[in-house]
Amino acid sequence: MASSPCGGGNFDCGLEIQTRSVEQTLIPLVSQITTLINHKDKLKKTEKTLRAIQRVGQAVSVAVGRFVAVGEAIAVENEDLKDEMGLACFDARRAGTAIAQLTDVSGLEQCEGDGRSTVFSDRTGMVKAARMLLSSVTKVLVLADCIVIKQIISSRNKVLVTLEQLERVSTFQEFVQIFSQFGNEMVEFAHLTGDRQNDLKDEKKRARMAAARAVLEKCTMMLLTASKTCLRHPDCESARINKEAVFQRMRLALEQVIEIVTDTRSGGEAKALPVSIYAGIKDFKVKVEGLRDSMYCVSCEAVAAQLEALVEKTEDFTDSAYTSHEQRETIIQLCQITRQETKQLINTWRHAQLLKAKEATDEMELSILKTCQSVSDLRRELHRVAVGRATELLKLHSDHLVLQALKASGGDGNLEAVADYAGTLTEHKEQLVETCRLLCHISGTEPLEITCIHAEETFRVIGPQIISAAQTLALHPTSKIAKENLDVFCEAWESQLCDMAILLKEINDVFEGRRGDKKTFLSLPRPGKHSANLKTVKAAKLDAEEQTTIAKLGLELCLLTSDVDSEVERWDEQDHEIVRLCQIISSMAYSMYLFTRGEGLLKTTLDLFHQAEVLSDQGLQLCPILHSLSTQLLDEDRMLIISETEKLSTACQQLQVCAKTPVQGKSAIFQKVDSSIQNTKGILTVVVYLLPICNKLIRKCQSECSCLSSPQHWREKQLRTPVSEETLNGKGSNGFGVKSLEQHMANLTFLESK
């Protein structure tokens, strides 16, 4: 395992792939190597077969050469990675050369006569070279990923230094100067961490990163107004408390980001999430239902103890002052029923063991069903209570009357009224904190549990901050800065209530089974979005003969995906929208290729048709981008792009029609599979042709600084997040609310006049 070169914390980068970008980079290489080493031992050595094998071998060799050149350049620029990266690049180059030699079968008879090894005669050598290549390439990618981590750590360190300077400033002029620098550093940190969040494979880490970045986004504005208030009223204790709380929360959020990207914790071991009731029920049901397969895999005592732990957790519901008497009685009754059913199950279970039964008896099967049903009823009731409570609270706080009263009382300088409304807000805060805890118990997924914990912590912290801001305004009722500060904290509270409403909807979606896979490729389409033919097409599996026929088509499709990936690698701007869509199309096509081999996520023909439909959607999304490019080109180039775009659009529409057309009967389904793969090949053929042309034209326009604007503009365009409803509401942005930040910055010049 490779030790970390990143500094700022000891962690092991190893060969564990933690990001999608590394995984996606490896996919085409795995595809090509799989093609080479999985050929049949008695494959007919036709000219076409030999050409295909040699072509793949050459593609691997060329790709490795380019890849190693980039890795060596990275090593030169990063002294602490030089030795490890150099060794990994050397191994990759050596393995690439070995594969090129083994696949050089153009003169197969002469090779065999000379005693030279080929992929046909030395399968062991081929497998060994393939393993070395995959290992070394993965090592290079993971080491390169460490550079991204170094950038995030470096950016965080710059932010911390400036944060400390901001905390010590004593004049407005000094604050304006340092905060300007801080704003720029936060924008850089926002982009780096936003990219990292989207790239992480682990859903829990993505959720934790999203929570930390949400804190930083809100706290950036709070820090600005809280610091201004402290500077205007340096002797105000409530203003000082308000400011210190913001700085402390920002430091904790920055630390959490580093813990996520380095996969370590400052305190040592990673902090485990408390086990929710949902997770406990899920695990309990798995153990109970597992008794059907083996009655001796778990003890009776362990099952009974796990149920008691579950019942104990329901006390968060039953002990709550906000739970109605009827709800409390229902929960207690359901817990008792579950206890009784589990006790009956254990009795029948022990009886079956005494009889030396090898599998669950009928009596035991009935007890298993009743136990699972009772615990499901308990979960349903807990969900109803938590969601009902949250819904009521959101309605209660929708008018924000307490916040308005605090603002009015503070503006009037009425400290007594502020104290009264502060007590009401504190009570509301406790209700919301407890409700978030209950929602965490029934959320249904670990990422949603993390979001619930973040919401709980946010309400817990912002409540007292609003009160201290209101107290400051009451002490200085004519202060515009104090009023602005209270407004910012109230807006953060209102924003968190909106986030809670979204969270509530997501929890309901999970409970009702409406939540789909968030991945947009290398997985099946989301239920309901691309399912026009769900009821009209019956899923089927191909027999051996049909599978063989389709496998030939699959190999051609695989080669085309390799061509697409090779062309994509030539682009300087890997985050360009054209590149992104082509990578998705290639990845989906590769999953269709795996289907032809009887591998991968697509198990039935229905899965294949769904995947084809989504692939066609991605291709159609590419068309308007190509049209937009064509409008910025001269006549000859424009006509070429328009012509190829029309071909792409036609091919995508044909695939979509094919995928959506309902068919019945084995031969019709087989024909539809054949047509789907043929149409997908047509799409990839156009994409392979377009990629180098678009790359060349974009480079040309950039170099001439005409038509498509300057390279800097293109880079900025790629970094920019598309405007969406979430972005406008301050969610999902990589910029921590940069627009609002800039508006506050513009007002800094007027500070001393306020």
Side-chain angles (χ1 to χ4, degrees):
M1 301 288 277
S3 60
S4 166
C6 300
N10 298 320
F11 68 101
D12 191 354
C13 70
L15 289 182
E16 181 184 358
I17 299 173
Q18 298 194 25
T19 58
R20 295 173 176 176
S21 57
V22 172
E23 188 174 69
Q24 291 302 307
T25 305
L26 285 172
I27 284 174
L29 181 60
V30 173
S31 166
Q32 292 166 332
I33 290 177
T34 301
T35 301
L36 292 175
I37 65 177
N38 282 359
H39 67 270
K40 296 178 181 178
D41 292 334
K42 297 183 179 180
L43 188 68
K44 292 183 179 179
K45 300 171 186 176
T46 64
E47 184 178 346
K48 184 177 180 181
T49 302
L50 296 177
R51 276 204 312 269
I53 290 175
Q54 188 165 11
R55 184 183 175 195
V56 174
Q58 289 172 347
V60 170
S61 181
V62 171
V64 169
R66 290 197 303 266
F67 180 84
V68 167
V70 174
E72 290 171 341
I74 291 173
V76 171
E77 295 172 1
N78 296 269
E79 188 65 30
D80 48 356
L81 281 177
K82 191 172 183 179
D83 293 340
E84 284 184 286
M85 184 70 85
L87 179 60
C89 288
F90 175 79
D91 289 341
R93 194 185 294 277
R94 187 175 60 173
T97 301
I99 288 174
Q101 291 173 348
L102 288 167
T103 55
D104 184 10
V105 291
S106 53
L108 183 61
E109 294 180 1
Q110 182 179 350
C111 293
E112 292 175 345
D114 295 341
R116 181 157 60 87
S117 297
T118 67
V119 67
F120 293 104
S121 61
D122 189 8
R123 188 185 182 95
T124 302
M126 186 68 204
V127 171
K128 184 179 179 181
R131 285 176 176 169
M132 179 186 290
L133 181 60
L134 285 174
S135 174
S136 55
V137 167
T138 304
K139 183 76 171 288
V140 171
L141 288 170
V142 173
L143 289 172
D145 189 59
C146 286
I147 296 172
V148 177
I149 298 175
K150 281 180 61 180
Q151 290 174 337
I152 294 175
I153 293 173
S154 175
S155 179
R156 186 281 307 256
N157 291 340
K158 287 192 294 184
V159 169
L160 276 179
V161 170
T162 312
L163 198 63
E164 290 176 3
Q165 294 173 352
L166 276 176
E167 200 168 15
R168 294 195 302 266
V169 297
S170 56
T171 66
F172 279 115
Q173 185 178 3
E174 186 183 8
F175 177 77
V176 171
Q177 181 181 359
I178 296 176
F179 193 84
S180 176
Q181 177 186 343
F182 177 76
N184 292 331
E185 290 170 352
M186 284 300 291
V187 170
E188 177 193 357
F189 189 70
H191 286 304
L192 289 172
T193 54
D195 291 342
R196 189 68 179 181
Q197 177 185 324
N198 294 330
D199 200 23
L200 287 169
K201 288 171 57 184
D202 190 294
E203 280 196 347
K204 290 184 290 184
K205 289 182 180 178
R206 286 206 302 275
R208 289 182 62 210
M209 180 74 87
R213 294 179 73 249
V215 170
L216 292 171
E217 179 181 340
K218 290 183 174 72
C219 282
T220 298
M221 306 319 317
M222 296 176 189
L223 181 144
L224 176 60
T225 57
S227 297
K228 286 161 59 180
T229 305
C230 249
L231 287 170
R232 177 57 69 198
H233 310 290
D235 298 326
C236 182
E237 180 67 12
S238 57
R240 183 189 62 78
I241 292 172
N242 185 261
K243 171 188 165 184
E244 287 179 353
V246 176
F247 275 86
Q248 176 64 14
R249 197 161 184 234
M250 284 204 77
R251 287 193 176 93
L252 290 174
L254 289 166
E255 185 63 30
Q256 182 175 339
V257 169
I258 300 307
E259 289 174 2
I260 296 165
V261 298
T262 60
D263 206 21
T264 59
R265 289 187 62 84
S266 55
E269 291 297 319
K271 181 181 177 183
L273 286 174
V275 178
S276 66
I277 292 177
Y278 169 81
I281 287 176
K282 185 178 179 181
D283 188 50
F284 178 77
K285 288 178 69 176
V286 167
K287 282 188 172 64
V288 169
E289 291 174 339
L291 295 176
R292 294 187 176 104
D293 300 321
S294 174
M295 294 188 295
Y296 306 95
C297 60
V298 64
S299 67
C300 302
E301 292 76 12
V303 172
Q306 187 171 6
L307 176 62
E308 288 308 311
L310 269 178
V311 171
E312 184 179 347
K313 288 183 182 298
T314 63
E315 292 175 0
D316 285 347
F317 288 78
T318 55
D319 290 352
S320 171
Y322 308 109
T323 301
S324 70
H325 176 72
E326 289 182 359
Q327 290 173 337
R328 186 178 293 108
E329 288 298 315
T330 301
I331 293 171
I332 292 173
Q333 183 181 8
L334 287 171
C335 287
Q336 189 59 32
I337 291 172
T338 305
R339 276 196 180 109
Q340 291 172 357
E341 296 297 349
T342 304
K343 184 178 179 180
Q344 179 62 27
L345 169 62
I346 290 174
N347 289 337
T348 58
W349 179 8
R350 284 174 172 161
H351 181 67
Q353 287 179 329
L354 289 173
L355 296 176
K356 306 295 183 182
K358 294 182 179 180
E359 57 183 24
T361 61
D362 291 344
E363 186 181 11
M364 189 174 166
E365 175 66 29
L366 181 60
S367 292
I368 289 173
L369 292 173
K370 286 185 176 181
T371 302
C372 290
Q373 182 60 49
S374 63
V375 80
S376 295
D377 291 342
L378 175 61
R379 181 205 166 193
R380 189 176 298 106
E381 177 62 21
L382 296 175
H383 176 89
R384 189 179 69 83
V385 171
V387 170
R389 169 92 61 81
T391 303
E392 289 175 5
L393 281 178
L394 288 172
K395 288 180 180 178
L396 177 65
H397 298 312
S398 60
D399 50 13
H400 309 298
L401 290 178
V402 177
L403 299 182
Q404 293 172 13
L406 276 170
K407 291 178 185 179
S409 302
D412 293 339
N414 190 338
L415 279 169
E416 186 177 346
V418 166
D420 289 341
Y421 288 118
T424 304
L425 183 67
T426 299
E427 184 180 348
H428 289 178
K429 178 206 72 176
E430 293 300 328
Q431 289 177 350
L432 288 164
V433 164
E434 186 176 277
T435 301
C436 289
R437 193 179 303 125
L438 299 187
L439 288 175
C440 182
H441 272 307
I442 55 92
S443 58
T445 69
E446 286 187 318
L448 288 179
E449 286 179 22
I450 291 168
T451 306
C452 290
I453 292 170
H454 164 67
E456 177 186 341
E457 181 63 23
T458 300
F459 284 123
R460 191 191 305 279
V461 172
I462 292 183
Q465 288 179 314
I466 291 175
I467 293 170
S468 61
Q471 290 169 342
T472 302
L473 179 59
L475 291 169
H476 308 279
T478 60
S479 173
K480 293 181 180 179
I481 291 179
K483 181 179 182 300
E484 178 189 21
N485 187 47
L486 178 57
D487 287 340
V488 167
F489 282 94
C490 288
E491 287 170 7
W493 177 278
E494 293 168 7
S495 173
Q496 189 57 51
L497 285 173
C498 292
D499 291 346
M500 186 175 175
I502 295 171
L503 173 63
L504 190 61
K505 181 182 182 302
E506 291 178 346
I507 289 172
N508 268 324
D509 286 346
V510 171
F511 183 78
E512 295 172 11
R514 291 196 299 263
R515 182 176 182 267
D517 197 326
K518 290 184 179 180
K519 296 180 182 178
T520 55
F521 53 91
L522 287 184
S523 64
L524 298 183
R526 283 172 282 179
K529 184 171 178 62
H530 303 283
S531 54
N533 57 343
L534 268 176
K535 294 183 179 179
T536 52
V537 178
K538 184 178 179 181
K541 289 191 176 182
L542 305 179
D543 61 28
E545 183 180 351
E546 291 168 337
Q547 193 77 41
T548 302
T549 304
I550 294 299
K552 295 177 181 178
L553 283 175
L555 180 58
E556 296 172 5
L557 187 63
C558 178
L559 292 173
L560 281 169
T561 63
S562 299
D563 290 341
V564 171
D565 296 326
S566 296
E567 290 301 335
V568 162
E569 288 175 6
R570 300 175 190 270
W571 282 61
D572 294 330
E573 295 185 15
Q574 287 292 305
D575 51 356
H576 196 284
E577 189 66 5
I578 292 176
V579 170
R580 187 186 70 83
L581 287 170
C582 288
Q583 286 175 327
I584 292 175
I585 290 169
S586 176
S587 297
M588 288 183 170
Y590 179 74
S591 68
M592 294 173 72
Y593 155 69
L594 289 178
F595 171 85
T596 67
R597 297 174 54 84
E599 301 170 0
L601 295 172
L602 310 180
K603 303 299 183 184
T604 69
T605 53
L606 181 58
D607 297 339
L608 180 75
F609 302 149
H610 288 171
Q611 189 79 11
E613 188 179 346
V614 183
L615 187 148
S616 66
D617 283 345
Q618 297 294 328
L620 290 171
Q621 287 182 34
L622 181 59
C623 292
I625 297 172
L626 295 171
H627 272 299
S628 177
L629 172 63
S630 69
T631 60
Q632 304 171 69
L633 302 173
L634 300 178
D635 289 345
E636 185 176 349
D637 293 333
R638 183 171 67 250
M639 293 307 298
L640 175 61
I641 295 297
I642 290 174
S643 173
E644 292 303 316
T645 301
E646 289 175 352
K647 291 181 183 177
L648 177 62
S649 177
T650 301
C652 290
Q653 289 169 1
Q654 289 175 345
L655 178 59
Q656 202 163 61
V657 170
C658 175
K660 288 183 176 181
T661 302
V663 294
Q664 291 182 347
K666 185 177 178 182
S667 61
I669 291 176
F670 173 72
Q671 184 60 44
K672 184 174 177 178
V673 171
D674 181 86
S675 299
S676 296
I677 296 176
Q678 292 283 12
N679 287 326
T680 303
K681 282 173 52 186
I683 292 173
L684 262 64
T685 301
V686 178
V687 169
V688 169
Y689 181 74
L690 276 170
L691 274 169
I693 294 174
C694 292
N695 191 19
K696 178 182 176 182
L697 292 174
I698 291 171
R699 283 180 175 177
K700 179 182 176 182
C701 291
Q702 286 177 321
S703 64
E704 293 173 355
C705 293
S706 62
C707 296
L708 300 182
S709 185
S710 67
Q712 180 63 25
H713 169 77
W714 273 73
R715 179 63 184 160
E716 291 172 356
K717 184 177 179 182
Q718 293 306 311
L719 286 174
R720 209 173 294 137
T721 305
V723 177
S724 65
E725 185 178 349
E726 286 188 344
T727 305
L728 293 174
N729 290 332
K731 301 180 182 66
S733 169
N734 284 350
F736 295 154
V738 175
K739 184 176 180 181
S740 301
L741 181 64
E742 291 170 347
Q743 290 172 347
H744 281 280
M745 291 286 294
N747 294 329
L748 285 173
T749 54
F750 302 103
L751 281 172
E752 301 199 82
S753 65
K754 289 190 175 182

